[in-house]
Amino acid sequence: MNIPELPKQRRILALALGSNIGDRVANIEGALSYLESNSDIRIVDTSFLYETRPMYVLDQPKFINGACLVSTAMDPQNLINTIKDAESRQGRLPGIRNGPRVVDLDVLFDDSNAYNLNSVPGRSLTVPHPKIHEREFVLRPLADMMPHFRHPTLKSTIAELLSRLSETSIQQILNFPAHSRNSDASNVVWTLRSQTFIMATLNTTPDSFSDGGDNENVQSALQYSTDAVEAGADIVDIGGFSTRPGSYFVSEEEELSRTAPFIAALRKGGLKVPISIDTFRSSVAEKALDAGANCINDVYALTGPPEDVAGTQTTDISMEGEVRVSDNGAMLALAARWKVPVILMHSRGPADKNKDYSKYGGNILEAVQDELGIRVHRALKAGVRRWNIILDPGIGFSKSIRDNVILIRDHSQLTNSRTEITKPSECLPSSPSISLHNFPTLVGTSRKRFLGHLAGREETKISPKSRDWATAAAVTSLVQQNADILRVHAVNSMRDVIRVADGIWREQYK
C-alpha cells in the first residue's frame, strides 16, 4: 500500500463511467445520484456520452461511456468504498473481468497524486488508472472536459494521448430518458452525426407566425403529430406561447392548458418518439415533463424571459455574472433536476430587437459562441449534464438577414472550434471548462421571414406557408454544415430534402 498524505481540503478527481446492461444512461445517472446523496462528493463537470464497442471481452453488448469530474475531501479508502456501494445499489453483481456490467465507475485521476491502495480485497485502487492511455472510451470523454490536463506519470496531456490512438467506431450519442407518463416506456438513444434528425413543429397557439390556429385542439394536434412521425419526424416540439414579433401575451395558466394536456394525449395516443416542450417557464416545463415530454426547448437558455416579454419588468432582473436572469434560476434548477436534454437557444430578448453586435466587430459567429458559451458554463455549474445540452444559434432572433445567412452558411464553425471560453489548465479544473466543440446543434429556419425576403416574391414576403421551397434551400445548406437536428413545419416534404442531402453530404443511403 502506497498512499500519500493527502490534504484534508477538497480535491478534484476524474471518474470514468460505463454501462452495457439495461437502460445504460439511467444506470449511470443512478450511480451519480447515489454518490451525491450519500457522501460529500459533488459533481463538477461531465463529458458527452459515447456508444462504444466492448474492449478485451468482445462478445457482449455495446457500452455507453462517459466521464465526470468530482470534488471531495474523502480519503481514498472511503472513496472507493462509496463508489463500490454506488455500483451495488444499481444492481452490479460480481462477474467476469471486463465483462457485462450494469454500471462501472473507475477513479482515473486524483488531482496529480499517484498511489496504490490494496488493503481491502475487492476494493483496491491504483491512481492514475493504469490503462488510461490505451482506452479511447476513457480519453475521448476526458478530452471533452480537460484536454490540457497533463498525466502525472506519463507527462502527456489528454489531447496528446488521444491523438496517439487510431480512430475506432466510438460514436457520440444523445439520450432521451423514458418519459414519466408510461411505465412501459423506454429511453430513446440517437447516434449523432449518423444522420440529420427532424424535429416536427407543433404550435397549439392561435398566433404563431406560420401555423397559428392549425392545431388548437387535441384531435388536430394528435393527427399532425402522427402524420409527422409517419413522414419521418424523430421528435415533436410542442409550444403554447408564440415568440414571434408582436405576438400576444399568454398567461401561465393559458400556456399550461395548451401544452401538458396535449402532451398527455399524444402519449396516450401511442406517440413513442421524444417530445420537447418549447417554453421559458419552469412551471410549464415541469407539467409538460410530468405529462410525458422528455426534452426542454428554451429560447432564453434557462434564464427566464427578458424585459417586455411575458410581463417581465426591469425589477424582476438579477445578474449572475454576465447573465441577466428573471426567474430566480427556476428553469436552470428544473433542467438540472430532471436530467433531460435541454436546447439552449441564443437570443437577446424580443426577436426583432437587440441586433447590434458591434462589441464583436460585427462578427455574429463570435458573438453567438461567446454569449451561448457563457450560458452553457452557467448550466454546467448548476449540474446540467454536458451530455444533455443542445445548442441553437437562434435564427431570426435578434439577427439581421446577413447574420442569419452567415449562421447558416458557416454553421459548422459554431462548434468546430476548440477555442476555449474559460482559461485552459494543465491541472484538473475545479469548475467546468468550456469550448463549444462537439456540442450537438439544432437549427430552425423553417418558413422564417428572412427567407421570404431572400426569395424576393411578394407572396413569400407575406405568406409563411409559401416559403417551403426557400426552407429547403436553407435545410440543404445546414445538412452540408453538419447540423444535427432541423426544426421544420412541413415534415413530409422536408424529410425528402433532408434525406437526399444526407445521402450527398453524410453518405447515408438508407
PDB file of all heavy atoms in Angstrom, residues 21 51 55 67 81 163 237 242 261 275 307 377 393 402 459 470 508:
ATOM      1  N   ILE A  21     -25.759  -2.798 -19.746  1.00  0.00           N
ATOM      2  CA  ILE A  21     -26.927  -3.629 -19.434  1.00  0.00           C
ATOM      3  C   ILE A  21     -28.102  -2.722 -19.105  1.00  0.00           C
ATOM      4  O   ILE A  21     -27.960  -1.758 -18.347  1.00  0.00           O
ATOM      5  CB  ILE A  21     -26.642  -4.556 -18.236  1.00  0.00           C
ATOM      6  CG1 ILE A  21     -25.537  -5.557 -18.577  1.00  0.00           C
ATOM      7  CG2 ILE A  21     -27.904  -5.301 -17.811  1.00  0.00           C
ATOM      8  CD1 ILE A  21     -25.126  -6.443 -17.400  1.00  0.00           C
ATOM      9  N   GLU A  51     -21.286   5.810 -27.392  1.00  0.00           N
ATOM     10  CA  GLU A  51     -21.544   4.374 -27.503  1.00  0.00           C
ATOM     11  C   GLU A  51     -20.292   3.736 -28.080  1.00  0.00           C
ATOM     12  O   GLU A  51     -19.763   4.190 -29.103  1.00  0.00           O
ATOM     13  CB  GLU A  51     -22.754   4.084 -28.376  1.00  0.00           C
ATOM     14  CG  GLU A  51     -23.149   2.615 -28.348  1.00  0.00           C
ATOM     15  CD  GLU A  51     -24.500   2.362 -28.973  1.00  0.00           C
ATOM     16  OE1 GLU A  51     -24.637   2.633 -30.183  1.00  0.00           O
ATOM     17  OE2 GLU A  51     -25.413   1.894 -28.269  1.00  0.00           O
ATOM     18  N   MET A  55     -14.274  -3.763 -25.316  1.00  0.00           N
ATOM     19  CA  MET A  55     -12.835  -3.970 -25.437  1.00  0.00           C
ATOM     20  C   MET A  55     -12.451  -5.125 -24.524  1.00  0.00           C
ATOM     21  O   MET A  55     -13.093  -5.345 -23.491  1.00  0.00           O
ATOM     22  CB  MET A  55     -12.109  -2.680 -25.020  1.00  0.00           C
ATOM     23  CG  MET A  55     -10.642  -2.612 -25.380  1.00  0.00           C
ATOM     24  SD  MET A  55      -9.981  -0.959 -24.991  1.00  0.00           S
ATOM     25  CE  MET A  55      -8.294  -1.158 -25.546  1.00  0.00           C
ATOM     26  N   ALA A  67     -17.487  10.393 -18.698  1.00  0.00           N
ATOM     27  CA  ALA A  67     -16.598  10.697 -17.582  1.00  0.00           C
ATOM     28  C   ALA A  67     -17.142  11.916 -16.854  1.00  0.00           C
ATOM     29  O   ALA A  67     -17.963  12.666 -17.390  1.00  0.00           O
ATOM     30  CB  ALA A  67     -15.175  10.954 -18.072  1.00  0.00           C
ATOM     31  N   ASN A  81     -14.813   2.759  -1.292  1.00  0.00           N
ATOM     32  CA  ASN A  81     -15.944   2.077  -0.666  1.00  0.00           C
ATOM     33  C   ASN A  81     -17.271   2.674  -1.141  1.00  0.00           C
ATOM     34  O   ASN A  81     -18.224   1.944  -1.448  1.00  0.00           O
ATOM     35  CB  ASN A  81     -15.853   2.179   0.860  1.00  0.00           C
ATOM     36  CG  ASN A  81     -14.731   1.340   1.445  1.00  0.00           C
ATOM     37  OD1 ASN A  81     -14.193   0.451   0.770  1.00  0.00           O
ATOM     38  ND2 ASN A  81     -14.368   1.617   2.687  1.00  0.00           N
ATOM     39  N   SER A 163      -4.540  11.596 -29.325  1.00  0.00           N
ATOM     40  CA  SER A 163      -4.075  11.704 -30.712  1.00  0.00           C
ATOM     41  C   SER A 163      -3.207  10.516 -31.130  1.00  0.00           C
ATOM     42  O   SER A 163      -3.048  10.257 -32.322  1.00  0.00           O
ATOM     43  CB  SER A 163      -3.282  13.003 -30.900  1.00  0.00           C
ATOM     44  OG  SER A 163      -2.041  12.951 -30.203  1.00  0.00           O
ATOM     45  N   ASP A 237     -41.926  18.871 -31.244  1.00  0.00           N
ATOM     46  CA  ASP A 237     -41.735  20.015 -30.356  1.00  0.00           C
ATOM     47  C   ASP A 237     -43.068  20.740 -30.209  1.00  0.00           C
ATOM     48  O   ASP A 237     -43.643  21.194 -31.200  1.00  0.00           O
ATOM     49  CB  ASP A 237     -40.686  20.955 -30.961  1.00  0.00           C
ATOM     50  CG  ASP A 237     -40.344  22.128 -30.068  1.00  0.00           C
ATOM     51  OD1 ASP A 237     -39.988  21.888 -28.902  1.00  0.00           O
ATOM     52  OD2 ASP A 237     -40.411  23.284 -30.540  1.00  0.00           O
ATOM     53  N   SER A 242     -46.339  31.862 -28.437  1.00  0.00           N
ATOM     54  CA  SER A 242     -45.617  32.317 -29.620  1.00  0.00           C
ATOM     55  C   SER A 242     -44.587  33.372 -29.235  1.00  0.00           C
ATOM     56  O   SER A 242     -44.867  34.285 -28.457  1.00  0.00           O
ATOM     57  CB  SER A 242     -46.588  32.918 -30.641  1.00  0.00           C
ATOM     58  OG  SER A 242     -45.879  33.478 -31.729  1.00  0.00           O
ATOM     59  N   PRO A 261     -51.883  19.012 -21.322  1.00  0.00           N
ATOM     60  CA  PRO A 261     -52.951  18.086 -21.744  1.00  0.00           C
ATOM     61  C   PRO A 261     -52.725  17.524 -23.139  1.00  0.00           C
ATOM     62  O   PRO A 261     -53.068  16.360 -23.413  1.00  0.00           O
ATOM     63  CB  PRO A 261     -54.211  18.956 -21.689  1.00  0.00           C
ATOM     64  CG  PRO A 261     -53.873  20.086 -20.775  1.00  0.00           C
ATOM     65  CD  PRO A 261     -52.421  20.346 -20.989  1.00  0.00           C
ATOM     66  N   ILE A 275     -40.633  13.943 -27.118  1.00  0.00           N
ATOM     67  CA  ILE A 275     -41.428  15.169 -27.192  1.00  0.00           C
ATOM     68  C   ILE A 275     -40.673  16.245 -26.430  1.00  0.00           C
ATOM     69  O   ILE A 275     -40.280  16.050 -25.278  1.00  0.00           O
ATOM     70  CB  ILE A 275     -42.831  14.991 -26.576  1.00  0.00           C
ATOM     71  CG1 ILE A 275     -43.654  13.972 -27.377  1.00  0.00           C
ATOM     72  CG2 ILE A 275     -43.568  16.335 -26.515  1.00  0.00           C
ATOM     73  CD1 ILE A 275     -45.018  13.673 -26.759  1.00  0.00           C
ATOM     74  N   GLU A 307     -36.907  41.598 -20.242  1.00  0.00           N
ATOM     75  CA  GLU A 307     -37.883  42.672 -20.120  1.00  0.00           C
ATOM     76  C   GLU A 307     -38.787  42.717 -21.346  1.00  0.00           C
ATOM     77  O   GLU A 307     -38.373  42.407 -22.458  1.00  0.00           O
ATOM     78  CB  GLU A 307     -37.189  44.040 -19.984  1.00  0.00           C
ATOM     79  CG  GLU A 307     -36.331  44.191 -18.750  1.00  0.00           C
ATOM     80  CD  GLU A 307     -34.859  44.000 -19.032  1.00  0.00           C
ATOM     81  OE1 GLU A 307     -34.521  43.137 -19.871  1.00  0.00           O
ATOM     82  OE2 GLU A 307     -34.055  44.697 -18.400  1.00  0.00           O
ATOM     83  N   HIS A 377     -21.785  27.460 -19.672  1.00  0.00           N
ATOM     84  CA  HIS A 377     -20.978  27.394 -18.447  1.00  0.00           C
ATOM     85  C   HIS A 377     -21.878  27.492 -17.219  1.00  0.00           C
ATOM     86  O   HIS A 377     -21.712  26.739 -16.247  1.00  0.00           O
ATOM     87  CB  HIS A 377     -19.952  28.524 -18.465  1.00  0.00           C
ATOM     88  CG  HIS A 377     -18.925  28.414 -17.381  1.00  0.00           C
ATOM     89  ND1 HIS A 377     -18.806  29.331 -16.374  1.00  0.00           N
ATOM     90  CD2 HIS A 377     -17.969  27.480 -17.142  1.00  0.00           C
ATOM     91  CE1 HIS A 377     -17.824  28.983 -15.558  1.00  0.00           C
ATOM     92  NE2 HIS A 377     -17.292  27.864 -16.000  1.00  0.00           N
ATOM     93  N   PRO A 393     -28.440  28.319 -32.582  1.00  0.00           N
ATOM     94  CA  PRO A 393     -27.933  29.670 -32.803  1.00  0.00           C
ATOM     95  C   PRO A 393     -29.011  30.746 -32.851  1.00  0.00           C
ATOM     96  O   PRO A 393     -28.694  31.937 -32.886  1.00  0.00           O
ATOM     97  CB  PRO A 393     -27.203  29.554 -34.152  1.00  0.00           C
ATOM     98  CG  PRO A 393     -27.891  28.424 -34.846  1.00  0.00           C
ATOM     99  CD  PRO A 393     -28.264  27.454 -33.762  1.00  0.00           C
ATOM    100  N   ARG A 402     -28.400  39.378 -42.883  1.00  0.00           N
ATOM    101  CA  ARG A 402     -26.989  38.976 -43.086  1.00  0.00           C
ATOM    102  C   ARG A 402     -26.525  38.043 -41.983  1.00  0.00           C
ATOM    103  O   ARG A 402     -25.849  37.036 -42.257  1.00  0.00           O
ATOM    104  CB  ARG A 402     -26.100  40.214 -43.144  1.00  0.00           C
ATOM    105  CG  ARG A 402     -24.613  39.907 -43.296  1.00  0.00           C
ATOM    106  CD  ARG A 402     -23.781  41.195 -43.374  1.00  0.00           C
ATOM    107  NE  ARG A 402     -22.362  40.878 -43.486  1.00  0.00           N
ATOM    108  CZ  ARG A 402     -21.563  40.649 -42.447  1.00  0.00           C
ATOM    109  NH1 ARG A 402     -22.048  40.694 -41.205  1.00  0.00           N
ATOM    110  NH2 ARG A 402     -20.286  40.384 -42.641  1.00  0.00           N
ATOM    111  N   GLU A 459     -45.414  37.117 -52.538  1.00  0.00           N
ATOM    112  CA  GLU A 459     -46.099  36.064 -51.783  1.00  0.00           C
ATOM    113  C   GLU A 459     -45.235  35.541 -50.648  1.00  0.00           C
ATOM    114  O   GLU A 459     -45.707  35.352 -49.522  1.00  0.00           O
ATOM    115  CB  GLU A 459     -46.493  34.912 -52.707  1.00  0.00           C
ATOM    116  CG  GLU A 459     -47.277  33.817 -51.981  1.00  0.00           C
ATOM    117  CD  GLU A 459     -47.573  32.616 -52.859  1.00  0.00           C
ATOM    118  OE1 GLU A 459     -47.000  32.524 -53.970  1.00  0.00           O
ATOM    119  OE2 GLU A 459     -48.362  31.764 -52.427  1.00  0.00           O
ATOM    120  N   ALA A 470     -37.997  27.836 -50.144  1.00  0.00           N
ATOM    121  CA  ALA A 470     -36.892  28.601 -49.563  1.00  0.00           C
ATOM    122  C   ALA A 470     -36.316  27.877 -48.353  1.00  0.00           C
ATOM    123  O   ALA A 470     -35.098  27.831 -48.153  1.00  0.00           O
ATOM    124  CB  ALA A 470     -37.382  29.996 -49.170  1.00  0.00           C
ATOM    125  N   GLN A 508     -25.280   8.767 -46.401  1.00  0.00           N
ATOM    126  CA  GLN A 508     -26.305   7.884 -45.823  1.00  0.00           C
ATOM    127  C   GLN A 508     -27.279   7.516 -46.935  1.00  0.00           C
ATOM    128  O   GLN A 508     -27.985   8.380 -47.460  1.00  0.00           O
ATOM    129  CB  GLN A 508     -27.037   8.572 -44.672  1.00  0.00           C
ATOM    130  CG  GLN A 508     -26.144   8.893 -43.493  1.00  0.00           C
ATOM    131  CD  GLN A 508     -25.612   7.654 -42.802  1.00  0.00           C
ATOM    132  OE1 GLN A 508     -26.340   6.687 -42.610  1.00  0.00           O
ATOM    133  NE2 GLN A 508     -24.354   7.652 -42.438  1.00  0.00           N
TER     134      GLN A 508
END
